[in-house]
Amino acid sequence: MRLETERLILRRFDQPGDRDAFAAICADPVVMDWLGGTLTRDEADARVDRVEASWEANGHGRFLVERKSDGAFLGWNGIMRAFETLPIAGVPEMGWRLVREAWGQGYATEAAAAVFADGFGRLGLPEIWAFTAPSNLRSQAVMTRLGMVRRPELDFEYPDQPVDGPLRQSVVFIATA
Ligand SMILES: CC(C)(COP(=O)(O)OP(=O)(O)OC[C@H]1O[C@@H](n2cnc3c(N)ncnc32)[C@H](O)[C@@H]1OP(=O)(O)O)[C@@H](O)C(=O)NCCC(=O)NCCS
C-alpha cells in the first residue's frame, strides 16, 4: 500500500533502515513528550510489528512518511485501532509523529489529508478519530486544520496514567465521511 501527495510518499515499513529511522525518532524526548516518553529499540520495533500486523488484519496502519525530494524519513502517519486497554478500544484512530526538523512545514496535515481520503474511500470508514493530551496543541492544530470536529462528550481518561498526570486526560476530535 502506497499513497502519494505533492511532497510526500506514504508507504509500508518494508525497506532496510526503516526500523532504525523509527527507533531514532522514538528516542527523541521532545517528539515523545506527549506519547509517554522515549522508547527503547525493542519497544520501537514492537510498535512497527503492531503496525504491520494491523496492515495484514485490517488493511490499514501507520504509513512511513518519506519526503519525495530527497527520500528523507519524516515519521509516520495513519490509522490504527485504538489500544484494547482504552475505554474507546477499537475505534479507528489517526496518529502522526514527525522528526523535529520536519515540524512547521505542513507535512503532518498533508500526509493526514491523504490518509483520510484513503480511509473514507478505499476503506469505507464512516468516521475517523484523533485524540491527544490537552497540552499537545500542535497535534490539536493538525486536527483543526484537517477540519476535524472537537467532541468533548467523547473525551476519556487513560487508565494507566497517574490521575493528576499530564497524559491522563484526552481531547477527542472526529472526522466524518
Ligand atoms: C504533532 C506533529 C506531527 C505536528 O507537526 P506540525 O509540523 O506542527 O504540523 P504540520 O506538519 O501540519 O505543519 C503545520 C505548520 O507548518 C506551517 N507550514 C509551513 N509550510 C506549509 C505548507 N506548505 N503547507 C502547510 N503548512 C505549512 C503551518 O503554517 C504550521 O505552522 P505553525 O505550527 O507555526 O502554525 C508534530 O508536532 C509531532 O511530531 N509531535 C510529536 C508527536 C506527537 O505529539 N504526535 C501526536 C500524538 S496524538
Side-chain angles (χ1 to χ4, degrees):
M1 191 57 208
R2 182 184 166 97
L3 302 175
E4 217 174 302
T5 69
E6 188 189 341
R7 296 180 294 173
L8 306 171
I9 290 167
L10 281 64
R11 62 169 178 81
R12 297 275 293 266
F13 282 77
D14 57 6
Q15 298 296 312
D18 288 352
R19 285 169 182 256
D20 296 338
F22 186 68
I25 189 175
C26 294
D28 181 334
V30 174
V31 171
M32 298 305 286
D33 199 25
W34 293 277
L35 298 165
T38 56
L39 301 182
T40 65
R41 175 63 197 243
D42 285 350
E43 288 168 336
D45 280 346
R47 298 297 165 91
V48 176
D49 290 343
R50 180 172 172 269
V51 162
E52 288 301 302
S54 170
W55 277 109
E56 299 307 324
N58 306 317
H60 62 73
R62 308 268 197 249
F63 289 93
L64 180 148
V65 180
E66 196 171 87
R67 186 161 47 209
K68 269 185 189 171
S69 61
D70 59 1
F73 169 90
L74 299 184
W76 79 6
N77 197 307
I79 301 167
M80 293 284 289
R81 302 277 159 174
F83 273 108
E84 290 308 313
T85 49
L86 297 179
I88 45 80
V91 302
E93 175 234 347
M94 284 297 286
W96 34 66
R97 187 176 307 183
L98 294 180
V99 295
R100 250 190 283 172
E101 311 82 78
W103 293 13
Q105 297 172 67
Y107 292 137
T109 303
E110 183 172 323
V115 171
F116 275 16
D118 183 54
F120 293 132
R122 178 180 64 88
L123 294 165
L125 295 172
E127 60 182 24
I128 299 175
W129 292 48
F131 40 85
T132 191
S135 60
N136 193 345
L137 300 179
R138 275 192 171 269
S139 190
Q140 290 172 60
V142 176
M143 298 171 199
T144 302
R145 273 194 292 277
L146 288 164
M148 301 186 81
V149 176
R150 174 83 178 96
R151 295 282 296 275
E153 76 281 13
L154 299 174
D155 289 353
F156 61 92
E157 295 188 1
Y158 283 83
D160 55 346
Q161 291 291 329
V163 173
D164 294 326
L167 300 180
R168 176 76 177 190
Q169 299 290 334
S170 66
V171 291
V172 172
F173 287 67
I174 304 263
T176 41

